[in-house]
Amino acid sequence: MGGLSMEEMICQGCGSIIQTTHPEDPGFTPKSTLKNEVVLCQRCFRLKHYNDIQDVNVTDDDFLKMVGTIRKKRGLIVHIFDLFDVTGSLINGLPRITGDNPIILVGNKVDLLPKSINKNQLIKWIRSIANEAGLQVKDVFLISSVKGQGMDYLTEQIENYRNKKDVYVVGTTNVGKSTFINRLINQSTGLKEVITTSYFPGTTLGFIEIPLDEQTSMIDTPGIVNEKQMAHYVSKNDLKIITPTKEVKPRVYQLNEKQTLFFGGLARLDVLKGEKQSLVCYFSNRLRIHRTKMEKADDLYENHIGELLSPPDKNTMEILPEFTTSTFRIAGEKTDIVFPGLGWVSVPGGEITVVVHSPNGVAVSIRKSLL
Ligand SMILES: Nc1nc2c(ncn2[C@@H]2O[C@H](COP(=O)(O)OP(=O)(O)OP(=O)(O)O)[C@@H](O)[C@H]2O)c(=O)[nH]1
Ligand SMILES: [Mg+2]
């Protein structure tokens, strides 16, 4: 067997084809590095060593096309999604992309949720959301790829469900697909951080095959871009603020009728009607929450968006879509009001009417409280 020609070299970090001619395109690396034992593209090298993201010429459509090739393959689809952003990270109509291959759903980042959360309730809610999204799934799992929770059980179950076939790990950008596979690699070989990961969406650029045995592999894939995700409307710096990195601490606010909460400047909740209540807010601990009177809220927003009410910052205010509002009348059951990609507010029983404001396209929903 002859040596690999350069065209066939794949960057181990992101799955792109290594090339030495187009710095703006995926897989670029200076010629001098080709003699290294492990070849990383320049983008992966910079991400790894300087945590600096380089934009490349790849469109959302390129990713979709690439992942769509799975339709013609046979294997188990492991659809990873983000438990902190279920509605933003579940892929509607996934079978259109992955064909009629069997699917299991894996909710990642369980470490971010409060420990007191009811796991069965959570799985039930995920199943109902999956149904609405047109997803028929074999099973649902909850894991933390960073902390390791649920990993052993999932590994066992993947072995069952895959029927000696390949395993395709798919999902929206940033849900932790590569982190998940890195953990598996680490468990079986001791090697650390083999695949490049980062808090920026769009890190993985091509398929990365990790052998499971002589015949079959687990395949990391580029994330699919979901326009409904809050992540697309904030700057890289703001993304750091809204993305929790550890268990979210509940923050409690007593709200009277005609009072308002702002979540940075990215979302807003008004209590239109109802007795005084304690609203419990579950958001990244770094996202500022601001309480005010409803009558002052519009002015406050006009005058202080990008400052007191941030994120967004002065630059990203421009790309943030206008707010749309929806009204929810809640009675009886304890209910969560979910702001996709940001967090949720838990409202105790009682009767209450709330008006929520969120960027157009990032639709707020409600669910039976998970706590
Ligand atoms: N808290 C927490 N963070 C996680 C977990 N898994 C991944 N992350 C973080 O989520 C971010 C994205 O992780 P990646 O593994 O790069 O995600 P990906 O799905 O491969 O993303 P793309 O390649 O862009 O599609 C990183 O900042 C990870 O550290 C987890 O279990 N818990
Ligand atoms: Mg990845």
Short mmCIF file of all heavy atoms in Angstrom, two decimals, residues 20-76:
data_model
loop_
_atom_site.label_atom_id
_atom_site.label_comp_id
_atom_site.label_asym_id
_atom_site.label_seq_id
_atom_site.Cartn_x
_atom_site.Cartn_y
_atom_site.Cartn_z
N THR A 20 -2.76 23.16 1.38
CA THR A 20 -1.73 24.14 1.71
C THR A 20 -1.81 25.39 0.85
O THR A 20 -0.90 26.20 0.83
CB THR A 20 -0.32 23.52 1.52
OG1 THR A 20 -0.23 23.05 0.17
CG2 THR A 20 -0.09 22.37 2.47
N THR A 21 -2.92 25.56 0.13
CA THR A 21 -2.97 26.65 -0.84
C THR A 21 -3.96 27.77 -0.52
O THR A 21 -3.77 28.90 -0.93
CB THR A 21 -3.29 26.10 -2.25
OG1 THR A 21 -4.36 25.16 -2.11
CG2 THR A 21 -2.08 25.41 -2.85
N HIS A 22 -5.05 27.48 0.19
CA HIS A 22 -6.09 28.49 0.43
C HIS A 22 -6.34 28.75 1.92
O HIS A 22 -7.14 28.07 2.55
CB HIS A 22 -7.40 28.06 -0.23
CG HIS A 22 -7.30 27.97 -1.71
ND1 HIS A 22 -6.97 26.79 -2.37
CD2 HIS A 22 -7.48 28.91 -2.67
CE1 HIS A 22 -6.94 27.01 -3.66
NE2 HIS A 22 -7.24 28.29 -3.89
N PRO A 23 -5.65 29.77 2.47
CA PRO A 23 -5.74 30.04 3.91
C PRO A 23 -7.16 30.30 4.41
O PRO A 23 -7.44 30.07 5.58
CB PRO A 23 -4.89 31.30 4.08
CG PRO A 23 -3.98 31.32 2.90
CD PRO A 23 -4.71 30.66 1.78
N GLU A 24 -8.06 30.75 3.55
CA GLU A 24 -9.42 31.07 3.99
C GLU A 24 -10.33 29.85 4.04
O GLU A 24 -11.43 29.90 4.56
CB GLU A 24 -10.08 32.08 3.03
CG GLU A 24 -9.28 33.34 2.79
CD GLU A 24 -9.21 34.18 4.04
OE1 GLU A 24 -10.28 34.45 4.62
OE2 GLU A 24 -8.08 34.56 4.44
N ASP A 25 -9.86 28.77 3.41
CA ASP A 25 -10.71 27.58 3.32
C ASP A 25 -10.37 26.56 4.41
O ASP A 25 -9.28 26.60 4.98
CB ASP A 25 -10.55 26.92 1.93
CG ASP A 25 -11.21 27.75 0.84
OD1 ASP A 25 -12.04 28.62 1.18
OD2 ASP A 25 -10.88 27.55 -0.34
N PRO A 26 -11.32 25.66 4.68
CA PRO A 26 -11.08 24.64 5.71
C PRO A 26 -9.83 23.82 5.39
O PRO A 26 -9.51 23.59 4.23
CB PRO A 26 -12.31 23.74 5.63
CG PRO A 26 -13.37 24.55 4.97
CD PRO A 26 -12.66 25.52 4.08
N GLY A 27 -9.15 23.39 6.44
CA GLY A 27 -8.05 22.45 6.28
C GLY A 27 -6.71 23.05 5.92
O GLY A 27 -5.74 22.34 5.72
N PHE A 28 -6.64 24.39 5.87
CA PHE A 28 -5.36 25.00 5.48
C PHE A 28 -4.28 24.74 6.54
O PHE A 28 -4.52 24.85 7.73
CB PHE A 28 -5.49 26.51 5.28
CG PHE A 28 -4.17 27.16 5.01
CD1 PHE A 28 -3.57 27.06 3.76
CD2 PHE A 28 -3.49 27.83 6.02
CE1 PHE A 28 -2.33 27.63 3.51
CE2 PHE A 28 -2.24 28.41 5.78
CZ PHE A 28 -1.67 28.31 4.53
N THR A 29 -3.12 24.38 6.07
CA THR A 29 -1.96 24.26 6.96
C THR A 29 -0.70 24.62 6.18
O THR A 29 -0.61 24.30 4.99
CB THR A 29 -1.87 22.85 7.58
OG1 THR A 29 -0.77 22.81 8.48
CG2 THR A 29 -1.69 21.78 6.53
N PRO A 30 0.25 25.31 6.80
CA PRO A 30 1.49 25.61 6.07
C PRO A 30 2.22 24.31 5.72
O PRO A 30 2.19 23.36 6.51
CB PRO A 30 2.31 26.42 7.09
CG PRO A 30 1.35 26.83 8.15
CD PRO A 30 0.24 25.84 8.16
N LYS A 31 2.84 24.29 4.57
CA LYS A 31 3.52 23.08 4.07
C LYS A 31 4.48 22.47 5.09
O LYS A 31 4.57 21.25 5.21
CB LYS A 31 4.31 23.43 2.79
CG LYS A 31 3.57 23.06 1.53
CD LYS A 31 4.51 22.91 0.34
CE LYS A 31 3.74 22.52 -0.91
NZ LYS A 31 3.70 23.56 -1.93
N SER A 32 5.15 23.34 5.83
CA SER A 32 6.19 22.88 6.75
C SER A 32 5.66 21.93 7.83
O SER A 32 6.41 21.14 8.39
CB SER A 32 6.84 24.09 7.43
OG SER A 32 5.84 24.81 8.11
N THR A 33 4.35 21.98 8.12
CA THR A 33 3.82 21.15 9.20
C THR A 33 3.44 19.74 8.73
O THR A 33 3.13 18.88 9.54
CB THR A 33 2.57 21.78 9.84
OG1 THR A 33 1.54 21.80 8.85
CG2 THR A 33 2.82 23.18 10.34
N LEU A 34 3.48 19.52 7.42
CA LEU A 34 3.00 18.24 6.89
C LEU A 34 3.85 17.05 7.35
O LEU A 34 3.37 15.92 7.37
CB LEU A 34 2.96 18.26 5.36
CG LEU A 34 1.89 19.18 4.75
CD1 LEU A 34 1.95 19.12 3.24
CD2 LEU A 34 0.51 18.80 5.24
N LYS A 35 5.09 17.33 7.72
CA LYS A 35 5.97 16.24 8.15
C LYS A 35 5.66 15.80 9.59
O LYS A 35 6.12 14.75 10.03
CB LYS A 35 7.43 16.65 8.00
CG LYS A 35 7.80 17.89 8.79
CD LYS A 35 9.26 18.29 8.52
CE LYS A 35 9.74 19.43 9.40
NZ LYS A 35 8.86 20.62 9.39
N ASN A 36 4.86 16.60 10.32
CA ASN A 36 4.52 16.22 11.70
C ASN A 36 3.75 14.91 11.73
O ASN A 36 3.07 14.55 10.77
CB ASN A 36 3.66 17.30 12.36
CG ASN A 36 4.41 18.61 12.50
OD1 ASN A 36 5.62 18.67 12.23
ND2 ASN A 36 3.71 19.65 12.88
N GLU A 37 3.85 14.23 12.85
CA GLU A 37 3.20 12.93 12.96
C GLU A 37 1.69 13.08 12.93
O GLU A 37 0.99 12.36 12.22
CB GLU A 37 3.64 12.26 14.27
CG GLU A 37 3.40 10.78 14.26
CD GLU A 37 3.97 10.14 15.52
OE1 GLU A 37 5.04 10.59 16.00
OE2 GLU A 37 3.32 9.23 16.03
N VAL A 38 1.17 14.03 13.70
CA VAL A 38 -0.26 14.33 13.68
C VAL A 38 -0.43 15.68 13.01
O VAL A 38 0.11 16.67 13.48
CB VAL A 38 -0.84 14.37 15.10
CG1 VAL A 38 -2.28 14.84 15.08
CG2 VAL A 38 -0.72 13.02 15.76
N VAL A 39 -1.15 15.71 11.90
CA VAL A 39 -1.33 16.97 11.19
C VAL A 39 -2.64 17.63 11.62
O VAL A 39 -3.70 17.04 11.54
CB VAL A 39 -1.31 16.77 9.66
CG1 VAL A 39 -1.57 18.08 8.95
CG2 VAL A 39 0.03 16.18 9.24
N LEU A 40 -2.51 18.84 12.13
CA LEU A 40 -3.68 19.63 12.49
C LEU A 40 -3.73 20.80 11.54
O LEU A 40 -2.69 21.36 11.17
CB LEU A 40 -3.52 20.20 13.90
CG LEU A 40 -3.96 19.40 15.12
CD1 LEU A 40 -3.95 20.31 16.32
CD2 LEU A 40 -5.31 18.76 14.93
N CYS A 41 -4.93 21.21 11.13
CA CYS A 41 -5.01 22.42 10.31
C CYS A 41 -4.69 23.63 11.19
O CYS A 41 -4.72 23.55 12.41
CB CYS A 41 -6.38 22.53 9.65
SG CYS A 41 -7.70 22.98 10.78
N GLN A 42 -4.42 24.74 10.53
CA GLN A 42 -4.04 25.93 11.27
C GLN A 42 -5.14 26.41 12.22
O GLN A 42 -4.88 26.85 13.34
CB GLN A 42 -3.71 27.04 10.26
CG GLN A 42 -3.10 28.25 10.90
CD GLN A 42 -2.60 29.21 9.85
OE1 GLN A 42 -3.37 29.80 9.09
NE2 GLN A 42 -1.30 29.37 9.77
N ARG A 43 -6.39 26.27 11.76
CA ARG A 43 -7.52 26.72 12.57
C ARG A 43 -7.59 25.90 13.87
O ARG A 43 -7.77 26.45 14.95
CB ARG A 43 -8.79 26.56 11.76
CG ARG A 43 -10.06 26.92 12.49
CD ARG A 43 -11.20 26.89 11.47
NE ARG A 43 -12.51 27.06 12.05
CZ ARG A 43 -13.28 26.08 12.49
NH1 ARG A 43 -12.83 24.84 12.49
NH2 ARG A 43 -14.48 26.32 12.95
N CYS A 44 -7.46 24.59 13.77
CA CYS A 44 -7.48 23.75 14.96
C CYS A 44 -6.30 24.07 15.87
O CYS A 44 -6.43 24.11 17.09
CB CYS A 44 -7.45 22.27 14.59
SG CYS A 44 -9.06 21.65 14.06
N PHE A 45 -5.14 24.30 15.25
CA PHE A 45 -3.94 24.61 16.03
C PHE A 45 -4.18 25.88 16.87
O PHE A 45 -3.90 25.91 18.06
CB PHE A 45 -2.75 24.81 15.10
CG PHE A 45 -1.46 25.03 15.82
CD1 PHE A 45 -0.70 23.95 16.27
CD2 PHE A 45 -1.02 26.32 16.07
CE1 PHE A 45 0.50 24.15 16.96
CE2 PHE A 45 0.18 26.54 16.77
CZ PHE A 45 0.93 25.44 17.21
N ARG A 46 -4.75 26.89 16.22
CA ARG A 46 -4.99 28.15 16.94
C ARG A 46 -6.06 28.01 18.02
O ARG A 46 -5.97 28.59 19.09
CB ARG A 46 -5.43 29.23 15.96
CG ARG A 46 -4.31 29.70 15.09
CD ARG A 46 -4.64 31.07 14.54
NE ARG A 46 -3.70 31.45 13.52
CZ ARG A 46 -3.98 32.28 12.54
NH1 ARG A 46 -5.19 32.82 12.46
NH2 ARG A 46 -3.07 32.60 11.66
N LEU A 47 -7.09 27.22 17.71
CA LEU A 47 -8.15 27.00 18.70
C LEU A 47 -7.59 26.30 19.92
O LEU A 47 -7.86 26.66 21.05
CB LEU A 47 -9.27 26.15 18.10
CG LEU A 47 -10.53 26.87 17.68
CD1 LEU A 47 -11.47 25.92 16.97
CD2 LEU A 47 -11.24 27.50 18.88
N LYS A 48 -6.79 25.29 19.65
CA LYS A 48 -6.22 24.48 20.72
C LYS A 48 -5.29 25.29 21.61
O LYS A 48 -5.36 25.22 22.82
CB LYS A 48 -5.44 23.32 20.09
CG LYS A 48 -5.78 22.00 20.72
CD LYS A 48 -4.97 20.87 20.12
CE LYS A 48 -5.39 19.60 20.81
NZ LYS A 48 -5.91 18.59 19.88
N HIS A 49 -4.41 26.06 20.96
CA HIS A 49 -3.36 26.72 21.73
C HIS A 49 -3.70 28.14 22.17
O HIS A 49 -3.20 28.60 23.18
CB HIS A 49 -2.05 26.69 20.96
CG HIS A 49 -1.56 25.29 20.73
ND1 HIS A 49 -0.96 24.55 21.72
CD2 HIS A 49 -1.61 24.49 19.64
CE1 HIS A 49 -0.66 23.36 21.25
NE2 HIS A 49 -1.05 23.30 19.98
N TYR A 50 -4.53 28.82 21.40
CA TYR A 50 -4.82 30.22 21.77
C TYR A 50 -6.31 30.48 21.97
O TYR A 50 -6.71 31.61 22.22
CB TYR A 50 -4.29 31.18 20.69
CG TYR A 50 -2.88 30.90 20.27
CD1 TYR A 50 -2.59 30.48 18.98
CD2 TYR A 50 -1.83 31.03 21.20
CE1 TYR A 50 -1.29 30.19 18.60
CE2 TYR A 50 -0.53 30.75 20.82
CZ TYR A 50 -0.26 30.33 19.52
OH TYR A 50 1.01 30.04 19.16
N ASN A 51 -7.15 29.45 21.85
CA ASN A 51 -8.59 29.60 21.96
C ASN A 51 -9.11 30.72 21.06
O ASN A 51 -9.97 31.51 21.44
CB ASN A 51 -9.00 29.85 23.42
CG ASN A 51 -10.43 29.44 23.66
OD1 ASN A 51 -10.97 28.60 22.95
ND2 ASN A 51 -11.06 30.05 24.65
N ASP A 52 -8.52 30.77 19.87
CA ASP A 52 -8.85 31.84 18.94
C ASP A 52 -9.54 31.21 17.74
O ASP A 52 -9.02 30.28 17.13
CB ASP A 52 -7.53 32.52 18.53
CG ASP A 52 -7.67 33.34 17.27
OD1 ASP A 52 -8.68 34.06 17.16
OD2 ASP A 52 -6.76 33.25 16.40
N ILE A 53 -10.75 31.68 17.43
CA ILE A 53 -11.50 31.06 16.34
C ILE A 53 -11.28 31.82 15.05
O ILE A 53 -11.29 33.04 15.02
CB ILE A 53 -13.02 30.96 16.63
CG1 ILE A 53 -13.79 30.21 15.53
CG2 ILE A 53 -13.64 32.33 16.80
CD1 ILE A 53 -13.79 28.74 15.67
N GLN A 54 -11.01 31.06 14.00
CA GLN A 54 -10.80 31.65 12.68
C GLN A 54 -12.03 31.30 11.84
O GLN A 54 -12.42 30.14 11.78
CB GLN A 54 -9.56 30.97 12.11
CG GLN A 54 -8.81 31.74 11.10
CD GLN A 54 -7.63 30.90 10.61
OE1 GLN A 54 -7.07 30.06 11.34
NE2 GLN A 54 -7.26 31.10 9.37
N ASP A 55 -12.64 32.30 11.24
CA ASP A 55 -13.79 32.00 10.38
C ASP A 55 -13.30 31.35 9.10
O ASP A 55 -12.26 31.70 8.59
CB ASP A 55 -14.56 33.29 10.05
CG ASP A 55 -15.35 33.78 11.26
OD1 ASP A 55 -15.83 32.91 12.02
OD2 ASP A 55 -15.47 35.00 11.44
N VAL A 56 -14.07 30.40 8.61
CA VAL A 56 -13.71 29.76 7.33
C VAL A 56 -14.88 29.84 6.37
O VAL A 56 -16.02 30.04 6.76
CB VAL A 56 -13.32 28.28 7.50
CG1 VAL A 56 -11.93 28.14 8.05
CG2 VAL A 56 -14.34 27.54 8.34
N ASN A 57 -14.55 29.65 5.09
CA ASN A 57 -15.58 29.69 4.05
C ASN A 57 -16.37 28.39 4.01
O ASN A 57 -16.12 27.53 3.18
CB ASN A 57 -14.92 29.86 2.67
CG ASN A 57 -14.30 31.23 2.54
OD1 ASN A 57 -14.78 32.19 3.15
ND2 ASN A 57 -13.25 31.33 1.75
N VAL A 58 -17.31 28.23 4.91
CA VAL A 58 -18.21 27.08 4.82
C VAL A 58 -19.60 27.63 5.14
O VAL A 58 -19.75 28.42 6.06
CB VAL A 58 -17.90 25.99 5.86
CG1 VAL A 58 -18.51 24.67 5.46
CG2 VAL A 58 -16.42 25.83 6.08
N THR A 59 -20.61 27.21 4.37
CA THR A 59 -21.95 27.73 4.65
C THR A 59 -22.76 26.69 5.40
O THR A 59 -22.41 25.51 5.44
CB THR A 59 -22.68 28.06 3.34
OG1 THR A 59 -22.90 26.84 2.62
CG2 THR A 59 -21.88 29.02 2.48
N ASP A 60 -23.86 27.16 6.00
CA ASP A 60 -24.76 26.27 6.72
C ASP A 60 -25.21 25.14 5.81
O ASP A 60 -25.38 24.00 6.23
CB ASP A 60 -26.01 27.03 7.19
CG ASP A 60 -25.64 28.21 8.06
OD1 ASP A 60 -24.44 28.37 8.34
OD2 ASP A 60 -26.56 28.96 8.45
N ASP A 61 -25.39 25.50 4.54
CA ASP A 61 -25.87 24.54 3.57
C ASP A 61 -24.84 23.44 3.29
O ASP A 61 -25.19 22.28 3.09
CB ASP A 61 -26.21 25.28 2.28
CG ASP A 61 -27.42 24.67 1.61
OD1 ASP A 61 -28.38 24.34 2.35
OD2 ASP A 61 -27.39 24.50 0.38
N ASP A 62 -23.55 23.84 3.28
CA ASP A 62 -22.48 22.84 3.09
C ASP A 62 -22.56 21.78 4.18
O ASP A 62 -22.44 20.59 3.91
CB ASP A 62 -21.10 23.52 3.16
CG ASP A 62 -20.87 24.49 2.01
OD1 ASP A 62 -21.49 24.30 0.95
OD2 ASP A 62 -20.06 25.43 2.18
N PHE A 63 -22.76 22.24 5.42
CA PHE A 63 -22.84 21.31 6.56
C PHE A 63 -24.03 20.36 6.38
O PHE A 63 -23.91 19.16 6.55
CB PHE A 63 -23.02 22.06 7.88
CG PHE A 63 -21.78 22.76 8.35
CD1 PHE A 63 -21.87 23.96 9.04
CD2 PHE A 63 -20.52 22.22 8.12
CE1 PHE A 63 -20.74 24.61 9.50
CE2 PHE A 63 -19.37 22.86 8.57
CZ PHE A 63 -19.48 24.06 9.26
N LEU A 64 -25.16 20.95 6.01
CA LEU A 64 -26.38 20.16 5.86
C LEU A 64 -26.21 19.09 4.78
O LEU A 64 -26.59 17.93 4.97
CB LEU A 64 -27.54 21.10 5.51
CG LEU A 64 -28.94 20.52 5.65
CD1 LEU A 64 -29.20 20.06 7.08
CD2 LEU A 64 -29.99 21.54 5.24
N LYS A 65 -25.58 19.50 3.67
CA LYS A 65 -25.35 18.54 2.58
C LYS A 65 -24.46 17.40 3.04
O LYS A 65 -24.71 16.23 2.74
CB LYS A 65 -24.67 19.26 1.40
CG LYS A 65 -25.66 20.00 0.53
CD LYS A 65 -25.10 20.14 -0.90
CE LYS A 65 -25.94 21.13 -1.70
NZ LYS A 65 -25.29 22.46 -1.82
N MET A 66 -23.41 17.77 3.78
CA MET A 66 -22.47 16.77 4.25
C MET A 66 -23.17 15.75 5.16
O MET A 66 -23.06 14.55 4.96
CB MET A 66 -21.37 17.49 5.04
CG MET A 66 -19.99 16.97 4.80
SD MET A 66 -18.81 17.86 5.84
CE MET A 66 -18.76 19.47 5.11
N VAL A 67 -23.91 16.26 6.13
CA VAL A 67 -24.58 15.36 7.08
C VAL A 67 -25.66 14.56 6.34
O VAL A 67 -25.92 13.41 6.67
CB VAL A 67 -25.17 16.16 8.27
CG1 VAL A 67 -25.82 15.21 9.28
CG2 VAL A 67 -24.08 16.97 8.97
N GLY A 68 -26.24 15.16 5.30
CA GLY A 68 -27.28 14.51 4.52
C GLY A 68 -26.81 13.25 3.79
O GLY A 68 -27.61 12.41 3.39
N THR A 69 -25.48 13.11 3.63
CA THR A 69 -24.98 11.90 2.97
C THR A 69 -25.21 10.65 3.82
O THR A 69 -25.13 9.53 3.32
CB THR A 69 -23.46 12.00 2.64
OG1 THR A 69 -22.75 12.16 3.86
CG2 THR A 69 -23.16 13.17 1.73
N ILE A 70 -25.52 10.86 5.09
CA ILE A 70 -25.78 9.71 6.00
C ILE A 70 -27.03 8.95 5.54
O ILE A 70 -27.17 7.76 5.78
CB ILE A 70 -25.94 10.20 7.46
CG1 ILE A 70 -24.63 10.85 7.94
CG2 ILE A 70 -26.32 9.06 8.39
CD1 ILE A 70 -24.73 11.49 9.30
N ARG A 71 -27.93 9.66 4.87
CA ARG A 71 -29.15 9.05 4.36
C ARG A 71 -28.87 7.75 3.62
O ARG A 71 -29.64 6.81 3.66
CB ARG A 71 -29.83 10.05 3.42
CG ARG A 71 -31.33 9.94 3.35
CD ARG A 71 -31.88 11.08 2.51
NE ARG A 71 -31.34 12.37 2.95
CZ ARG A 71 -31.08 13.39 2.14
NH1 ARG A 71 -31.30 13.31 0.85
NH2 ARG A 71 -30.61 14.52 2.62
N LYS A 72 -27.75 7.74 2.88
CA LYS A 72 -27.45 6.56 2.05
C LYS A 72 -26.63 5.51 2.79
O LYS A 72 -26.27 4.48 2.23
CB LYS A 72 -26.69 7.00 0.79
CG LYS A 72 -27.50 7.95 -0.06
CD LYS A 72 -26.90 8.04 -1.47
CE LYS A 72 -27.36 9.31 -2.16
NZ LYS A 72 -26.44 10.46 -1.93
N LYS A 73 -26.30 5.80 4.05
CA LYS A 73 -25.49 4.85 4.83
C LYS A 73 -26.38 4.04 5.75
O LYS A 73 -27.56 4.37 5.93
CB LYS A 73 -24.46 5.63 5.67
CG LYS A 73 -23.65 6.64 4.89
CD LYS A 73 -22.41 5.98 4.30
CE LYS A 73 -21.65 6.89 3.35
NZ LYS A 73 -21.11 8.09 3.97
N ARG A 74 -25.81 3.00 6.34
CA ARG A 74 -26.55 2.20 7.32
C ARG A 74 -25.84 2.28 8.66
O ARG A 74 -24.65 1.98 8.76
CB ARG A 74 -26.62 0.73 6.87
CG ARG A 74 -27.61 0.48 5.74
CD ARG A 74 -29.07 0.65 6.23
NE ARG A 74 -29.94 1.05 5.14
CZ ARG A 74 -30.35 2.31 4.93
NH1 ARG A 74 -29.98 3.29 5.73
NH2 ARG A 74 -31.15 2.59 3.93
N GLY A 75 -26.56 2.69 9.67
CA GLY A 75 -25.95 2.76 10.99
C GLY A 75 -26.90 3.33 12.01
O GLY A 75 -28.05 3.64 11.70
N LEU A 76 -26.41 3.45 13.25
CA LEU A 76 -27.22 4.02 14.32
C LEU A 76 -26.98 5.53 14.38
O LEU A 76 -25.83 5.98 14.33
CB LEU A 76 -26.83 3.38 15.66
CG LEU A 76 -27.50 3.97 16.91
CD1 LEU A 76 -29.01 3.67 16.92
CD2 LEU A 76 -26.85 3.44 18.19
#
